[in-house]
Amino acid sequence: MLLLAMDTATPAVTVALYGEGRVLASWEQIDARRHGELLMPAVDRVLSTAGRKISEVTGLVVGNGPGPYTGLRVGLVTAAALGAARSVPVHGLCTLDGIAHAAVAAGLTGPFVVATDARRKEVYWARYDATGTRVDGPAVDRAGELPAEVTVLPAVGAGAVLYADAFADVRRELPQHASAGALAALAAQRLAAGEEPAPPRPLYLRRPDAQVPAGYKVVTP
């Protein structure tokens, strides 16, 4: 099994190649405005670093979000296109699950919450048990209006750091953005256990800012 993973649901453009039970190569850059520009060169760089070809990849893993519409769709469309071109499966995973997996791998114990920046003074969040299994969410809420049972838990992610006053225990030393390596490792773990990952469908959680105009003005007879 050789998995090519990517995520563009957070400001991180992140790509990793996973095989032989480990991350073979990875690359990431924090740049919320250049997902489309950075992603495919990152794929080429990761494959080159690992000394592998795209024809060797047996599956793709992509973060489903939640995340902003523009950034999130870059990863999903790219993964779908590569999967179709190579006739390999594309596995979708909740981006927050990947951050949770990375946090547990970094030593976090006990129940916790992952929160990423959703803009508009809101966060995307999900609650996890000690093993990193999601027990609530994903959801989107204003940081100051989160449920009490969420805000009292140790909090991981850029949303928690940005709105630190809303959380009782922010773990700034733990991963703040998505990691393709963590996503790939989580996907491999679930596949080995016989679980079927979710399809690569976006978790937007709220309506887009762009709306179809109503009440067009007639300018022709």
Side-chain angles (χ1 to χ4, degrees):
M1 178 169 58
L2 188 65
L3 298 175
L4 177 64
M6 62 190 69
D7 194 298
T8 57
T10 72
V13 179
T14 174
V15 179
L17 192 67
Y18 185 94
E20 304 167 10
R22 61 188 177 89
V23 174
L24 302 175
S26 64
W27 183 92
E28 71 175 46
Q29 182 169 325
I30 309 300
D31 192 330
R33 297 181 180 276
R34 299 173 65 212
H35 292 93
E37 180 180 344
L38 295 172
L39 185 56
M40 280 308 298
V43 169
D44 289 340
R45 188 176 295 112
V46 164
L47 289 169
S48 177
T49 299
R52 300 297 184 94
K53 299 178 180 179
I54 189 66
S55 59
E56 298 177 67
V57 171
T58 59
L60 288 111
V61 180
V62 62
N64 282 347
Y69 176 78
T70 302
L72 179 55
R73 66 179 178 175
V74 171
L76 286 163
V77 170
T78 301
L82 288 173
R86 301 303 313 166
S87 298
V88 297
V90 182
H91 309 293
L93 288 178
C94 175
T95 297
L96 303 182
D97 290 359
I99 297 174
H101 186 80
V104 172
L108 182 60
T109 59
F112 62 97
V113 60
V114 173
T116 58
D117 182 20
R119 304 172 186 170
R120 306 180 191 172
K121 298 183 179 180
E122 295 179 333
V123 293
Y124 297 117
W125 65 271
R127 188 158 52 97
Y128 296 84
D129 65 16
T131 68
T133 300
R134 179 159 31 101
V135 296
D136 193 11
V140 59
D141 288 292
R142 291 182 68 86
E145 298 174 0
L146 291 169
E149 62 269 23
V150 171
T151 58
V152 297
L153 295 173
V156 180
V161 173
L162 182 61
Y163 300 106
D165 291 346
F167 298 91
D169 181 14
V170 177
R171 301 297 179 89
R172 298 174 182 269
E173 75 281 7
L174 294 175
Q176 295 186 26
H177 301 295
S179 161
L183 272 181
L186 180 58
Q189 177 182 304
R190 292 182 177 179
L191 288 168
E195 300 178 32
E196 186 63 31
R201 294 174 184 165
L203 294 169
Y204 292 130
L205 301 190
R206 66 186 181 200
R207 298 182 65 83
D209 293 331
Q211 301 290 331
V212 177
Y216 285 99
K217 181 179 179 180
V218 178
V219 294
T220 56

